[in-house]
Every structure is written in C-alpha cells, then in structure tokens.
Amino acid sequence: MTFQGNGPLEGGNVSAGGGGGMGRGMVIGGGSIGTVVIGLLIYFLTGSTGGMTQAPQQAGPGLSQAEQQLDEKLKNCTKEQANSDTACRIKATTISLDKVWPTVLRGYQPPRGGTKIMPVGAQSINTACGVAGADTGPFYCPSDQVAVFQLDFMDRVIKKMGGTNAPFSQEYIVAHEFGHHVQTLLGDINKSQQGRGAQGGSVRVELQADCYAGVWAAHADKGPDAMLKPLTQEEISDAITTAQAIGDDTIQRNAGRNVNPESFSHGTSEQRVRWFSQGYRTGAPAQCDTFSGTI
C-alpha cells in the first residue's frame, strides 16, 4: 500500500489506448520515426510477445471492447483502488507526478497528450512518433507529449525480466517516463541523439530520467497533501530491483548475449540504481546532471 486517503481519484489526463490491426506502421521503441521516442526498454529482448498477436474484438468506432472497459474503469478509479489495481495505480501516480513536479521545477506543465494505457490484447498504438506495437514497452513521445504504458508489461513482463510488479516498482516506471517529459520541457530530450554506446546521449538521457524518478519519490510522500504514504525501505528496494533488472548489461546477459557497451542505450544496472538513488537522496533536479563528465 503506497497511496493514502479515500474517495475518487480527481484529475489526471489518463485514458485507454491501443487497438487496431497489424501492419499500420513501423514498430518503435527506443528509436525514432521522424522524432525521438524514449522507452524504458525494448520488450523484444525478452524473446516473447506474450501472445498479443491478434487484433482485439472491436466494440465500436475507434475503441475496442477492452479499451472501452478500461476507459470506464479509469474514469471511476478511487484512491483505494490505486493500491490494488494497476490501471488505477498508473493514474494515481501521474496525478502525484503532476502535483510534485511544479514544486521543484518552475514552469512545469503536465504532458499535453496525457497518458495512454494499453489493455492486454491491444496490438498497437498510434502516436506522433509513429505506430508502436504492444511489444515496445513503456515509452514517451515528445512530439505529442504522451506517455504510454501496457498493462501486460506492468503486471507480467517486468517480473519475467527479473524485476518486480510491486506497487512502487510500477510507480517508478511511470515516474521514469515522466522524467522524459521533464527533459522535453527543459529542452534536453534531443541530447539522446548525441553519440552512441555506453557514454552516448541515449544512455545519459535514460539515466537522467531515472534520477528524475528518484526526485519525484523524494517528495511524493512529503507534506500535508502528499498522495503517498511514507515510503518504506522495502518499497524503495522494489524500485531498485526493477532498475537492476532493466540495465543494458543484465538484459543482454539474460538474452544469452555477450555484454556489448557499444550497443548500450539505457545504462548498466549499477548506473540505473545509482542515478535513481541520487535523485531520491537529494530530491534536487539540479543533482541529475548526467551530461557532464563520465557517467
């Protein structure tokens, strides 16, 4: 249990996304179609698509039956449900993020495109960055300022990869993608295109997003209007476990590959834990400068 209080979750620009058939566009994730797309990781490295290969049953124009049901749930989420239901937890986390960031960053504005959640069975989602498949993993598209999360990834895939689907671990994933939104507001997001490999721009941008997730965590349980209960060391450990599981080196080893720093895009397990911890320990965005010196 991380969220406190009771009653409806008020605010938040969160809705169901996804659906449609295959072949509507190129699959993206950590790459670009006309613009940079920033993802937590690339799901295809797990070697499985989780059975999500058939188009969902359509219940009406534009939205599948599963999407309509998810939209209805999101509209009626309560604070209590944020502690038991993944979709409502994502919504609650985005509300918390949009409350915390204005207190630590002057000029912060919520993502204008909001947050989209893909239900299990959704094959793809169309954004200004292109069409992303269900196997892309969580990502953020700067062009329309939208963060995308897949319920199957949050509940099952991250655990399969060695992380945890514990509540605060899922909240860390959401906060990481919102870290990319902060980078967009500050004009740093395109630095991901500067250089490649272990010291390249992509790794530096991803590690900064981890640090920004830590900054949010440092403030999310503070003050009279805090949405989160005081975080425990176990909850912080959950986020660290997930950060370790999604380091480039760990992903490559688990996929049976030799570790190749020149192919890194997100940073090692040690780096991801260190930069998240830096943000959490200091609570200061200025302490998240991954662009100066060696990381």
Side-chain angles (χ1 to χ4, degrees), residues 88-102:
C88 291
R89 182 175 300 120
I90 294 171
K91 178 177 179 177
T93 306
T94 67
I95 295 172
S96 174
L97 283 155
D98 286 337
K99 289 179 64 175
V100 167
W101 271 107

Side-chain angles (χ1 to χ4, degrees), residues 177-265:
E177 297 307 331
F178 268 61
H180 291 312
H181 177 60
V182 172
Q183 292 168 329
T184 299
L185 296 177
L186 293 175
D188 292 329
I189 196 73
N190 288 327
K191 292 180 180 178
S192 65
Q193 305 298 298
Q194 298 175 0
R196 301 174 63 85
Q199 294 293 318
S202 176
V203 170
R204 292 175 185 272
V205 163
E206 294 295 341
L207 293 178
Q208 187 178 62
D210 280 332
C211 188
Y212 284 159
V215 169
W216 164 76
H219 296 275
D221 62 350
K222 307 294 192 301
D225 297 324
M227 292 182 63
L228 267 66
K229 294 181 179 180
L231 293 171
T232 66
Q233 186 56 51
E234 180 180 1
E235 288 165 337
I236 296 300
S237 295
D238 287 335
I240 288 174
T241 295
T242 294
Q244 289 173 328
I246 55 181
D248 284 318
D249 52 342
T250 300
I251 291 174
Q252 289 179 1
R253 288 192 193 98
N254 289 344
R257 303 177 183 180
N258 293 327
V259 175
N260 178 16
E262 290 306 310
S263 68
F264 284 2
S265 61

Side-chain angles (χ1 to χ4, degrees), residues 9 29 32 41 78-79 109 225:
L9 275 173
S32 63
L41 55 89
T78 65
K79 296 175 182 176
Q109 294 292 327
D225 297 324

Side-chain angles (χ1 to χ4, degrees), residues 10-11 20 23-24 29 54 70 81 90 98 100 118 141 163 175 214 254 293:
E10 298 179 350
R24 295 193 303 157
Q54 296 186 11
L70 178 56
Q81 285 176 308
I90 294 171
D98 286 337
V100 167
M118 296 174 66
C141 175
N254 289 344

Side-chain angles (χ1 to χ4, degrees), residues 70-215:
L70 178 56
D71 247 350
E72 188 64 24
K73 173 191 285 188
L74 289 167
K75 291 175 184 176
N76 295 288
C77 281
T78 65
K79 296 175 182 176
E80 296 93 333
Q81 285 176 308
N83 289 314
S84 60
D85 182 88
T86 299
C88 291
R89 182 175 300 120
I90 294 171
K91 178 177 179 177
T93 306
T94 67
I95 295 172
S96 174
L97 283 155
D98 286 337
K99 289 179 64 175
V100 167
W101 271 107
T103 69
V104 294
L105 180 67
R106 181 178 298 179
Y108 176 85
Q109 294 292 327
R112 65 172 180 266
T115 296
K116 301 293 184 183
I117 303 177
M118 296 174 66
V120 176
Q123 290 186 358
S124 60
I125 184 169
N126 191 21
T127 73
C129 297
V131 180
D135 56 356
T136 301
F139 69 93
Y140 170 82
C141 175
S143 294
D144 49 8
Q145 294 188 7
V146 63
V148 178
F149 304 93
Q150 303 85 1
L151 286 181
D152 187 61
F153 178 92
M154 303 291 277
D155 283 332
R156 185 184 67 85
V157 176
I158 191 63
K159 189 173 181 180
K160 179 180 176 183
M161 297 185 70
T164 171
N165 59 3
F168 192 71
S169 174
Q170 294 184 338
E171 292 156 26
Y172 151 68
I173 292 173
V174 177
H176 172 98
E177 297 307 331
F178 268 61
H180 291 312
H181 177 60
V182 172
Q183 292 168 329
T184 299
L185 296 177
L186 293 175
D188 292 329
I189 196 73
N190 288 327
K191 292 180 180 178
S192 65
Q193 305 298 298
Q194 298 175 0
R196 301 174 63 85
Q199 294 293 318
S202 176
V203 170
R204 292 175 185 272
V205 163
E206 294 295 341
L207 293 178
Q208 187 178 62
D210 280 332
C211 188
Y212 284 159
V215 169

Side-chain angles (χ1 to χ4, degrees), residues 21-68:
M22 299 293 288
R24 295 193 303 157
M26 186 182 300
V27 173
I28 54 176
S32 63
I33 300 180
T35 185
V36 63
V37 177
I38 303 296
L40 181 64
L41 55 89
I42 301 176
Y43 173 39
F44 70 74
L45 290 173
T46 67
S48 169
T49 57
M52 295 181 286
T53 58
Q54 296 186 11
Q57 179 182 357
Q58 294 294 316
L63 287 179
S64 70
Q65 183 177 8
E67 289 162 355
Q68 290 181 3

